[in-house]
Amino acid sequence: MSDFDYDVLIIGAGPGGYVAAIRAAQLGLKTACVEGRATLGGTCLNVGCIPSKAMLHASEYFDAAKNGAMAEMGIDVTPKLNLDKMHAQRIDAVGGLTKGIEFLFKKNKVDWKKGYASFVDAHTVKVGDETITAKEVVIATGSSVTPLPGVEIDNDKGIVVDSTGALELKSVPKKMVVIGGGVIGLELGSVWRRLGAEVIVVEFLDQLLPGMDLDIRKEAAKIFKKQGMELKLSTKVTGCTVKGKKATLTLEPAAGGDAETLEADCVLVSIGRRPNTEGLGLDKIGLATNQRGQIEIDHEFRTAVAGVRAIGDVVPGPMLAHKAEDEGIAVAEWIAGQTGIVNHDVIPGVVYTWPEIAGVGLTEEAAKERGAIKVGKFPMMANSRAKTNHEPDGFVKVIADAETDRVLGVWCIASVAGTMIAQAAQAMEFGATSEDIAYTCHAHPTHSEAIKEAAMAVTGKPIHM
Ligand code: FAD
Ligand code: NAD
């Protein structure tokens, strides 16, 4: 090991990279992590999960005050928006958490190499003028916004923006068009709708939220429409021009047909993200990416090049912070000679809208393709806590194997679906049957009882329906 400067060098300090670095150091490996951004934490902490949740949480309160949800509970208020202060608390949350990672690096003796890394060979990278060698290198460079041809993003002007620009808008746009009805479009579209914007979502597919269970996608569309979002499904954006402070979009039916135009004060481009490999010098080590620009790996996160591993958004799989984090722990454990496990079949996904939308495991459609299934559903309207809290929208769905009763997937729309889904993931991790969930005592009154009832509904015996 002494032939190298470090046992492990990690490129990128997002949730994949920083977690890998901390676990590697905890396991006694001499570790460095290269990060070009001014603060640690990657997309997630700086411009992703955390700032978006800061704006979602704050705008949820504003909306509840404005739309009568508070009045319904006897609290008469007329909210006044202080957008500067709302942004300040977002910036504060990001600052605190990114500094926290810096503290954890120091505590665990992880060296932060500031700058962008580029390979010289499989064990050597250059960061500015410094050359660093390591026995094992982990690529954790994450992802960035996928551009849409014909639509130029300029976050500074705040007219055509990506997710980073949409987090920082200086005023509430009168009319906002969101291109892409995926997770980012719906979360950030929700923020600005709640704060007063008219929001139109243009989605290429015939439903929102690709990858989620079809029932959930349909129910979500109903709820967003009820909240006042306009949805233009099966529609593609073919161009965008900006004149003064207005953008004009050209739209066409996805299947072809007559074009129409749409004017907006703000356009959010949220059509997906692509892996960051540019500038890494992968050609120097003879490492090619796949058709989607991702780095292929085996179950020990090894790339095709000996000594180089990869994790997080830059490799195949859902682009989620918790998936990157778990891979970060596992890759460090493999490097330290242990067995690192990530069960890629049980990665929960959550959309932090109101209500929240969450799922884990197979959709009903995918489960049916594999064999016979049983499905249990339970509406939140029949859950005592949700009903009492004036949160009637949504349902829970449990999908189980028809023969073994093993749970294959759980989907929910509920105010706290993101919290509820954890028990489903844990049950599936332990190979639970729907009967196991149905016979687990759940505290009353909680939203989670809807998961128990949906599990009981798999055999047709829910109590409160
Ligand atoms: P990243 O977090 O992208 O970090 C990679 C880091 O590598 C970056 O800091 C980058 O500067 C650095 N880097 C790149 N190239 C180099 C180089 N050559 N040298 C040095 N450093 C380099 N996921 C969730 O699970 N929940 C959410 O609520 C959620 N919300 C999101 C909201 C938004 C608006 C966005 C954009 C994303 C959100 N995500 C969410 C996705 C989540 O942010 C990513 O899945 C996660 O950050 C991926 O982690 P990563 O470590 O692979 O990469
Ligand atoms: P996405 O893949 O979730 O959604 C993009 C949407 O854009 C899709 O529905 C797609 O059909 C549509 N689309 C593509 N091209 C289009 C076009 N020309 N016109 C109209 N629609 C078009 O991507 P995203 O919302 O940009 O998010 C990127 C990634 O970030 C996701 O993989 C997600 O996992 C991650 N993320 C996660 C969270 C979370 O976990 N809560 C939040 C934000 C982002």
Side-chain angles (χ1 to χ4, degrees):
M1 293 245 177
S2 55
D3 291 348
F4 298 103
D5 299 330
Y6 289 95
D7 298 325
V8 195
L9 177 88
I10 290 143
I11 307 178
Y18 85 71
V19 168
I22 292 171
R23 176 49 58 94
Q26 286 172 340
L27 293 170
L29 300 169
K30 191 178 177 205
T31 308
C33 184
V34 191
E35 174 55 61
R37 222 183 264 274
T39 46
L40 300 172
T43 303
C44 174
L45 268 62
N46 288 283
V47 291
C49 325
I50 296 304
S52 60
K53 267 79 253 178
M55 294 304 280
L56 278 158
H57 187 64
S59 61
E60 203 170 287
Y61 277 98
F62 183 80
D63 195 33
K66 197 178 69 170
N67 73 16
M70 283 191 174
E72 221 176 325
M73 292 181 280
I75 308 162
D76 289 326
V77 280
T78 308
K80 187 165 169 276
L81 179 63
N82 183 340
L83 187 56
D84 288 344
K85 202 161 177 184
M86 199 178 276
H87 281 313
Q89 59 91 37
R90 164 181 62 78
I91 292 163
D92 198 44
V94 168
L97 290 172
T98 55
K99 281 201 190 74
I101 308 298
E102 211 174 321
F103 165 78
L104 290 174
F105 269 18
K106 282 192 189 127
K107 185 180 166 217
N108 288 285
K109 301 193 170 49
V110 173
D111 288 343
W112 174 11
K113 300 285 178 185
K114 296 182 184 180
Y116 285 94
S118 162
F119 280 101
V120 176
D121 62 44
H123 299 283
T124 314
V125 303
K126 257 191 117 48
V127 182
D129 295 335
E130 195 180 0
T131 302
I132 309 161
T133 62
K135 185 159 186 257
E136 297 259 5
V137 178
V138 179
I139 303 172
T141 48
S143 64
S144 339
V145 175
T146 305
L148 178 59
V151 182
E152 203 178 313
I153 289 165
D154 186 342
N155 284 336
D156 290 338
K157 280 202 185 125
I159 299 172
V160 182
V161 296
D162 60 18
S163 54
T164 303
L167 284 166
E168 296 170 359
L169 295 178
K170 304 235 169 359
S171 58
V172 180
K174 213 163 163 299
K175 186 168 170 184
M176 179 181 216
V177 175
V178 173
I179 311 178
V183 195
I184 292 182
L186 294 170
E187 286 189 354
L188 296 182
S190 290
V191 166
W192 295 106
R193 182 201 55 75
R194 292 168 187 173
L195 299 181
E198 174 193 352
V199 173
I200 302 171
V201 178
V202 181
E203 167 57 49
F204 183 79
L205 300 174
D206 61 355
Q207 288 293 339
L208 304 170
L209 294 170
M212 292 207 141
D213 185 272
L214 189 57
D215 264 352
I216 291 279
R217 297 169 74 189
K218 288 182 178 164
E219 183 73 8
K222 272 194 223 154
I223 293 172
F224 290 126
K225 271 195 229 165
K226 199 167 78 179
Q227 292 174 352
M229 264 192 199
E230 187 183 336
L231 307 181
K232 281 185 172 291
L233 303 177
S234 304
T235 306
K236 63 182 174 195
V237 172
T238 52
C240 174
T241 51
V242 176
K243 224 179 193 176
K245 289 190 178 276
K246 293 248 183 247
T248 306
L249 290 166
T250 320
L251 315 181
E252 277 176 29
D258 292 341
E260 59 171 316
T261 56
L262 192 57
E263 236 185 34
D265 306 288
C266 181
V267 174
L268 164 60
V269 182
S270 49
I271 60 160
R273 293 177 62 83
R274 59 181 186 185
N276 287 333
T277 53
E278 244 180 61
L280 255 183
L282 294 185
D283 52 322
K284 298 270 175 50
I285 57 171
L287 185 57
T289 54
N290 68 15
Q291 271 187 332
R292 304 188 64 193
Q294 300 157 325
I295 297 175
E296 294 281 352
I297 46 164
D298 67 10
H299 75 285
E300 293 180 29
F301 308 96
R302 288 180 300 210
T303 68
V305 175
V308 179
R309 304 190 196 225
I311 56 167
D313 279 10
V314 82
V315 304
M319 288 182 164
L320 294 172
H322 41 281
K323 178 251 189 194
E325 284 187 51
D326 285 7
E327 291 181 345
I329 290 175
V331 76
E333 291 178 347
W334 281 115
I335 291 171
Q338 302 181 355
T339 303
I341 306 276
V342 179
N343 180 358
H344 284 101
D345 290 336
V346 183
I347 308 265
V350 181
V351 190
Y352 297 86
T353 46
W354 179 268
E356 292 179 347
I357 303 166
V360 60
L362 297 178
T363 62
E364 185 173 342
E365 300 73 60
K368 263 188 195 145
E369 271 176 30
R370 294 208 187 170
I373 55 166
K374 298 176 291 182
V375 176
K377 263 176 95 170
F378 189 79
M380 292 314 291
M381 181 106 84
N383 170 271
S384 58
R385 185 65 183 277
K387 203 166 159 51
T388 307
N389 287 5
H390 310 268
E391 299 161 352
D393 287 337
F395 61 83
V396 176
K397 180 184 200 178
V398 172
I399 303 158
D401 184 287
E403 204 179 315
T404 64
D405 190 36
R406 201 171 161 152
V407 177
L408 303 173
V410 177
W411 295 89
C412 23
I413 300 187
S415 59
V416 289
T419 306
M420 289 162 69
I421 206 67
Q423 70 145 300
Q426 195 162 43
M428 286 172 68
E429 196 61 59
F430 289 139
T433 60
S434 77
E435 189 185 47
D436 290 329
I437 299 179
Y439 281 98
T440 299
C441 188
H442 285 61
H444 174 76
T446 57
H447 296 80
S448 295
E449 285 174 287
I451 293 193
K452 178 187 167 100
E453 292 269 12
M456 290 198 270
V458 169
T459 45
K461 295 191 187 70
I463 297 294
H464 296 94
M465 198 167 56

